């Protein structure tokens, strides 16, 4: 299996090649494997393994070519080691992997029979390999860490909105699931369907910027209060927009457009039809459906059939007719999500009259 390079020259060339190969690897596993195989092919070793402290996550990652057992004690010894390379008393050679901040992020551990490594050319070769390993692993671990932070920040943003009673967890989940149903049956790209599932949950994040006495008012808005509330799409857009991130971009667009109407009568811009993004039209529809079927501080919950009827009646005025058709055609899927929610059990029996739907809708029924 091993194809050791015969000459020093070959070993050196192969190691330079390693740098290029590593640049194309994207995950810790494949990087570790490539490095270990390279070491076994170029140096006189009986086994090798890579041990990483993930300083960003405070955990240990262990990689080997399957010939070594995991023992935590070695970690503890190694952690204190400052040297780039060191001969351990039990016959292991330890090569430090350093971060750009000059901290040890792990070691390559080698088992070798040779006693004359120190001062040899192979020693230099190992130093070169450890430099490559350091550069590449530090980078990849940092990227992984940023990805994790990203997910966490999304959860934290949800938590912030929940603290202000903007919307419940369940509402967020339903809007996400309803959006997925409409998105799946529309002509939205598959990748975007996955993004809308996340992004739809932040449609009302801009309500963070609305004063409490308005946000949680127990009753109908005055025209002044209503116009303050109408800032929430733009506030959300400003909070969320990030030109470098697809999820945040879509979140921002949804926030901005979820109160636009198909006929142009919505806010903040009054754009109409396909001027509104598909994701904006989808969340615009499901948000109203969920608001109607839910109890709010200012209104009782409407029944499932009244809420459905309202969506169908407003096809082509408030809502995109094609999406209303999808909503109607796949109502069995919508219904399942609706019934996930126990709080929906009590609702007003009578459908609100059309007069009430248009004008008296925010009064308690
Ligand atoms: P929301 O409660 O999530 O409602 C979202 C949208 O669902 C509303 O957008 C409206 O288009 C629709 N909707 C909600 N309830 C009813 C209803 O009883 N009848 C009808 N026909 N449609 C309904 P809108 O109107 O732009 O309101 C945006 C947000 O402003 C609402 O989000 C809510 O948080 C708040 N809001 C609006 N009016 C009042 C009010 O009079 N009192 C209070 N406390 N909050 C209000
Ligand atoms: C991630 O980076 O994996 C989290 C999702 C996002 O890009 O917002
Ligand atoms: C909710 O979305 O669960 C409640 C929103 C409200 O306060 O009306
Ligand atoms: C949440 O309420 O927890 C998420 C964001 C929103 O829709 O307001
Ligand atoms: Fe909203
Ligand atoms: Fe909402």
């Amino acid at each position: 299996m091993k194809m050791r390079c015969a000459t020093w020259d070959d070993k050196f060339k192969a190691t330079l090649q390693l740098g290029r190969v590593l640049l194309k690897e994207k995950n810790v596993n494949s990087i570790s494997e490539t490095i270990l195989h390279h070491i076994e092919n170029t140096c006189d070793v009986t086994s090798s393994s890579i041990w990483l402290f993930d300083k960003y996550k405070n955990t240990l990652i262990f990689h080997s070519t399957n010939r070594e057992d995991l023992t935590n004690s070695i970690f503890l010894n190694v952690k204190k080691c400052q040297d780039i390379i060191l001969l351990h008393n039990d016959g292991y050679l330890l090569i430090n992997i350093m971060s750009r901040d000059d901290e040890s992020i792990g070691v390559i551990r080698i088992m070798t029979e040779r006693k004359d490594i120190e001062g040899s050319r192979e020693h230099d070769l190992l130093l070169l390999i450890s430099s490559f390993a350091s550069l590449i692993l530090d980078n990849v671990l940092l990227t992984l860490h940023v990805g994790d932070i990203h997910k966490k920040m999304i959860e934290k943003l949800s938590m912030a909105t929940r603290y202000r009673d903007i919307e419940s967890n369940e509402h967020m989940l339903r809007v996400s699931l309803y959006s997925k149903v409409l998105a799946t049956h529309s002509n939205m790209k598959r990748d975007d369907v996955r993004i809308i599932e996340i992004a739809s949950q932040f449609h009302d994040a801009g309500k963070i910027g609305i004063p409490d006495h308005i946000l949680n008012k127990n009753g109908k808005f005055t025209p002044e209060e209503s116009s303050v509330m109408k800032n929430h799409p733009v506030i959300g857009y400003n909070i969320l927009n990030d030109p470098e991130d697809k999820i945040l971009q879509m979140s921002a667009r949804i926030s901005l457009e979820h109160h636009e109407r198909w006929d142009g009568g919505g806010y903040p811009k009054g754009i109409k039809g396909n001027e509104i993004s598909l994701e904006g039209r989808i969340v615009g529809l499901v948000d109203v459906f969920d608001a109607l079927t839910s109890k709010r501080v200012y209104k009782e919950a409407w029944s499932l059939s009244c809420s459905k009827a309202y969506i169908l009646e407003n096809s082509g005025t408030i809502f995109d007719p094609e999406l209303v058709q999808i909503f109607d055609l796949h109502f069995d899927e919508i219904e399942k999500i609706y019934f996930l929610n126990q709080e929906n059990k009590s609702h007003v029996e009578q459908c609100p009259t059309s007069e009430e739907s248009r004008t008296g809708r925010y009064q308690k029924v």
Side-chain angles (χ1 to χ4, degrees):
M1 185 181 156
K2 285 191 192 178
M3 300 200 312
R4 291 171 197 278
C5 306
T7 67
W8 162 253
D9 217 37
D10 288 341
K11 289 178 181 184
F12 184 69
K13 275 186 196 149
T15 302
L16 287 183
Q17 199 64 34
L18 173 72
R20 275 192 231 153
V21 172
L22 286 179
L23 279 176
K24 291 186 192 125
E25 304 278 7
K26 292 209 166 46
N27 68 70
V28 180
N29 274 327
S30 60
I31 290 167
S32 301
E33 241 165 67
T34 305
I35 293 169
L36 294 177
H37 280 291
H38 180 77
I39 289 174
E40 297 194 3
N41 286 339
T42 52
C43 304
D44 203 7
V45 303
T46 49
S47 72
S48 63
S49 55
I50 287 187
W51 308 67
L52 297 173
F53 326 107
D54 188 339
K55 66 170 178 181
Y56 305 111
K57 282 198 240 162
N58 243 333
T59 54
L60 311 178
I61 311 173
F62 173 71
H63 300 272
S64 84
T65 48
N66 283 333
R67 261 165 287 166
E68 290 193 39
D69 298 323
L70 175 81
T71 51
N72 270 321
S73 60
I74 285 171
F75 258 111
L76 300 175
N77 290 340
V78 157
K79 220 171 175 176
K80 297 184 194 100
C81 136
Q82 296 299 315
D83 303 299
I84 299 288
I85 192 162
L86 144 160
L87 200 54
H88 207 257
N89 51 14
D90 49 10
Y92 287 118
L93 197 60
L94 300 178
I95 305 161
N96 231 336
I97 304 171
M98 310 292 287
S99 76
R100 72 197 74 196
D101 307 323
D102 227 23
E103 281 172 49
S104 173
I105 56 177
V107 289
I108 303 172
R109 190 177 72 168
I110 291 170
M111 176 67 113
T112 178
E113 319 262 90
R114 281 183 59 176
K115 300 287 172 225
D116 59 345
I117 284 267
E118 224 144 0
S120 73
R121 284 170 148 185
E122 278 189 339
H123 178 277
D124 291 342
L125 205 61
L126 287 170
L127 277 183
L128 187 56
I129 294 170
S130 89
S131 303
F132 285 147
S134 298
L135 274 174
I136 205 88
L137 285 169
D138 188 39
N139 244 317
V140 168
L141 290 175
L142 183 65
T143 307
L144 284 177
H145 171 67
V146 170
D148 285 350
I149 284 280
H150 202 153
K151 280 180 205 141
K152 288 219 174 81
M153 291 302 288
I154 289 178
E155 285 161 26
K156 298 297 177 197
L157 177 61
S158 305
M159 211 187 269
T161 59
R162 255 175 272 140
Y163 262 100
R164 289 209 56 208
D165 272 341
I166 291 169
E167 292 189 290
S168 64
N169 247 337
E170 292 73 22
H171 170 71
M172 283 182 65
L173 181 64
R174 286 194 306 271
V175 165
S176 164
L177 295 173
Y178 289 142
S179 297
K180 187 185 175 189
V181 172
L182 296 194
T184 304
H185 297 292
S186 74
N187 58 5
M188 185 177 271
K189 280 183 283 167
R190 276 177 163 253
D191 279 356
D192 286 346
V193 174
R194 263 185 286 146
I195 296 178
I196 197 177
E197 263 189 270
I198 301 169
S200 58
Q201 304 188 36
F202 301 105
H203 63 278
D204 275 339
K207 286 182 181 173
I208 287 176
I210 304 300
D212 234 40
H213 69 277
I214 296 178
L215 182 65
N216 293 321
K217 178 175 180 178
N218 191 356
K220 192 173 157 55
F221 280 167
T222 63
E224 291 74 29
E225 289 164 340
S226 182
S227 71
V228 172
M229 176 55 93
K230 283 181 176 176
N231 291 324
H232 82 271
V234 174
I235 296 170
Y237 178 85
N238 291 335
I239 292 174
L240 294 165
N241 194 34
D242 181 335
E244 282 167 21
D245 186 285
K246 280 179 101 171
I247 298 180
L248 286 173
Q249 254 177 47
M250 192 193 280
S251 303
R253 207 154 48 230
I254 287 171
S255 173
L256 188 64
E257 297 178 353
H258 75 282
H259 287 293
E260 298 289 358
R261 290 171 50 129
W262 182 256
D263 63 10
Y267 64 91
K269 293 200 224 156
I271 52 178
K272 64 172 178 230
N274 290 324
E275 291 166 8
I276 312 162
S277 66
L278 178 55
E279 51 271 24
R281 283 176 272 143
I282 288 174
V283 176
L285 190 158
V286 305
D287 180 42
V288 171
F289 179 71
D290 197 74
L292 296 181
T293 53
S294 303
K295 187 177 159 62
R296 295 285 203 243
V297 287
Y298 54 87
K299 66 174 270 297
E300 296 300 323
W302 294 15
S303 71
L304 184 63
S305 60
C306 297
S307 307
K308 181 185 179 186
Y310 180 84
I311 301 293
L312 299 192
E313 278 162 25
N314 287 289
S315 174
T317 50
I318 306 179
F319 310 116
D320 174 351
E322 275 180 43
L323 289 178
V324 173
Q325 212 177 359
I326 292 170
F327 174 84
D328 192 21
L329 217 57
H330 300 275
F331 198 70
D332 54 326
E333 291 174 53
I334 300 286
E335 215 173 13
K336 270 188 211 141
I337 298 162
Y338 168 85
F339 282 117
L340 283 179
N341 188 41
Q342 294 309 302
E343 71 198 51
N344 280 334
K345 277 186 172 161
S346 84
H347 54 73
V348 287
E349 288 308 323
Q350 297 269 301
C351 285
T353 64
S354 55
E355 181 60 21
E356 277 169 329
S357 315
R358 274 199 313 277
T359 60
R361 63 195 206 202
Y362 292 120
Q363 275 145 17
K364 287 217 178 204
V365 190

